[in-house]
Amino acid sequence: MDRYFFISGDLDDMGKVEKELENAGVTTAQIHVLSKDDEAVARRDLHEVHAFMKTDVVRSGLRGAIIGIVAAISVLLFAHYSSATENIGWLPFVFLSIVLLGFCTWEGGFFGFQVPNAQFKQFEEVLAQGWHVFFVDVNERQLPVLQGVTDRHRGLKPAGVGSSSPHWVIGWQNQFQKFVHWAP
């Protein structure tokens, strides 16, 4: 799947595009609107970008986890090659490894909450000017549908292509939406 970005100043037009895409089989989980005016997006019942997605918490958390894994392995290798386990056992070193992994992951995620999502950094200036970013995650089969709908809306300006959420994440979101609508 690829993520297609568009820029527009008209949230009402974005609402029409969203409805047309949904009617053509693109799910709500694949469509997002990024804006500085979250209230206006919510009033029009558009699928807004959640605050969690606006930050780089996942990417930074994964980087922290990688650093934590390296630190944990280093502690365990030190314990093995220094023969310290003969005197005090493995338990303190295993515990320290787990603590280092958890701390590095937590610290990476904490840092990520303070940083804008790397995919959205390119739109900071446009958003500051009052424009809105509309993006859609589509597979190859859905690409003609997206092109057909966006071609009919001249207010949408193409703004690039990026990597999308994994298909399994979108599938999970779709299943969750079905469950929420099914539940009484």
Side-chain angles (χ1 to χ4, degrees):
M1 294 186 93
D2 290 319
R3 178 170 285 172
Y4 291 85
F5 294 95
F6 301 90
I7 298 172
S8 177
D10 187 357
L11 286 174
D12 293 325
D13 190 43
M14 285 184 177
K16 292 174 186 173
V17 172
E18 185 172 316
K19 294 291 185 240
E20 288 179 32
L21 287 171
E22 288 172 351
N23 290 338
V26 178
T27 64
T28 305
Q30 295 173 260
I31 305 167
H32 301 280
V33 176
L34 176 65
S35 177
K36 292 279 187 187
D37 191 359
D38 291 335
E39 187 178 309
V41 172
R43 267 194 321 258
R44 288 170 177 83
D45 200 30
L46 296 170
H47 192 235
E48 63 187 324
V49 176
H50 299 287
F52 184 77
M53 284 181 60
K54 291 181 182 181
T55 65
D56 213 23
V57 67
V58 173
R59 187 168 157 228
S60 295
L62 287 174
R63 286 182 176 174
I66 290 169
I67 292 169
I69 289 169
V70 170
I73 290 172
S74 298
V75 166
L76 295 174
L77 288 174
F78 170 78
H80 176 70
Y81 288 113
S82 71
S83 301
T85 57
E86 292 174 10
N87 296 331
I88 59 175
W90 278 99
L91 187 61
F93 295 104
V94 170
F95 182 71
L96 179 60
S97 296
I98 292 169
V99 168
L100 282 172
L101 174 61
F103 177 76
C104 291
T105 304
W106 174 78
E107 191 63 29
F110 183 71
F111 175 76
F113 272 121
Q114 302 170 39
V115 178
N117 189 315
Q119 274 197 330
F120 303 149
K121 278 186 179 182
Q122 63 183 333
F123 300 112
E124 285 179 347
E125 187 177 318
V126 172
L127 291 168
Q129 295 172 357
W131 290 79
H132 314 284
V133 179
F134 183 83
F135 61 95
V136 185
D137 299 333
V138 293
N139 55 36
E140 290 180 25
R141 183 180 47 81
Q142 296 171 320
L143 186 57
V145 170
L146 175 65
Q147 290 172 334
V149 171
T150 57
D151 285 348
R152 289 192 298 270
H153 295 269
R154 299 291 176 205
L156 285 177
K157 296 177 177 62
V161 180
S163 60
S164 75
S165 299
H167 70 282
W168 59 269
V169 170
I170 293 172
W172 180 83
Q173 289 174 335
N174 289 333
Q175 293 302 320
F176 181 75
Q177 287 293 329
K178 286 179 186 176
F179 175 74
V180 169
H181 286 86
W182 171 79

